[in-house]
Amino acid sequence: MIDMPAPKDILIAPSLLSADFAFLGDEVKKLEAGNADWLHFDVMDGRFVPNLSIGIPVLKSLRKVTRLPIDVHLMIVEPDNLLEAFAKAGADTLTVQAEACTHLHRTLQKIHALGCRAGVSLNPHTPIDLLEYVIDLVDFVLVMTVNPGFGGQSYIDACTPKIAHLRNHYPSLNIEVDGGIKLDTIEQAAKAGANIFVSGSGVFSSPDYAQAIGDMRRSAQGCL
Ligand code: DX5
Ligand code: ZN
């Protein structure tokens, strides 16, 4: 199982959704050279979200070419059915959408039993209260700062107080944010208390991934 960061450690997790899939291995090498901390791997099913993306065979191939932790974000209904397959394919973390889990407690137990870190993702409208009785089983919470389904959307400002609320409630929790994170939005999420930053278009739209990752990291660290 991978080590989790301390809540004051800043991690940058580029989202592969914005990568050039024809050259995925090369893209990953560039992210490694650019000091990415985690690789964020977005799985979409056309049901939980109105889009399809990548899944188990791609994860399996990727696992062979990188030692970076692979952070698997499952934007799918009934995730329990596929947890084992994703774990076997090489996931280090498995994040489920709280809205897709009828038995969230059981799902989190299952993720741990598979040897993965467990994340719970909350859509922008989902309150943090539902974490209260499962928090001991949660390695990190993913606060969605866009409605999931597509890369390149704009950060929803109303999510910033939610990050702060979560940080106040759980001072030692790892808080990941995902959606519209780039140089001009990372500060507000970091100030509110997030410490793991997913960024798709914010990294891949730059000609220099190392610089984009470094700039975002410095900007978040400056908020501590
Ligand atoms: C959105 C995905 C994100 C997405 C982020 O549904 O969960 O991980 O790739 O992309 P950007 O950073 O471009 O908003
Ligand atoms: Zn994601």
Side-chain angles (χ1 to χ4, degrees), residues 40 42 73 178:
H40 186 78
D42 286 302
H73 179 192
D178 183 7

Side-chain angles (χ1 to χ4, degrees), residues 3-70:
D3 289 335
M4 289 301 293
K8 285 276 176 197
D9 291 342
I10 302 294
L11 263 56
I12 306 291
S15 163
L16 298 174
L17 193 62
S18 295
D20 184 340
F21 288 118
F23 302 96
L24 194 51
D26 296 341
E27 295 275 63
V28 165
K29 291 296 152 206
K30 284 196 227 167
L31 297 172
E32 286 179 348
N35 288 321
D37 296 290
W38 285 2
L39 298 175
H40 186 78
F41 189 93
D42 286 302
V43 181
M44 302 180 182
D45 66 351
R47 291 186 63 204
F48 183 76
V49 289
N51 199 4
L52 292 167
S53 61
I54 44 178
I56 293 153
V58 177
L59 178 59
K60 220 169 156 183
S61 299
L62 208 57
R63 181 71 291 169
K64 293 182 197 149
V65 301
T66 184
R67 297 173 85 162
L68 284 180
I70 305 180

Side-chain angles (χ1 to χ4, degrees), residues 132-147:
E132 188 174 353
Y133 302 107
V134 294
I135 198 71
D136 291 345
L137 290 172
V138 175
D139 292 303
F140 61 98
V141 172
L142 171 51
V143 177
M144 287 306 303
T145 44
V146 297
N147 290 296

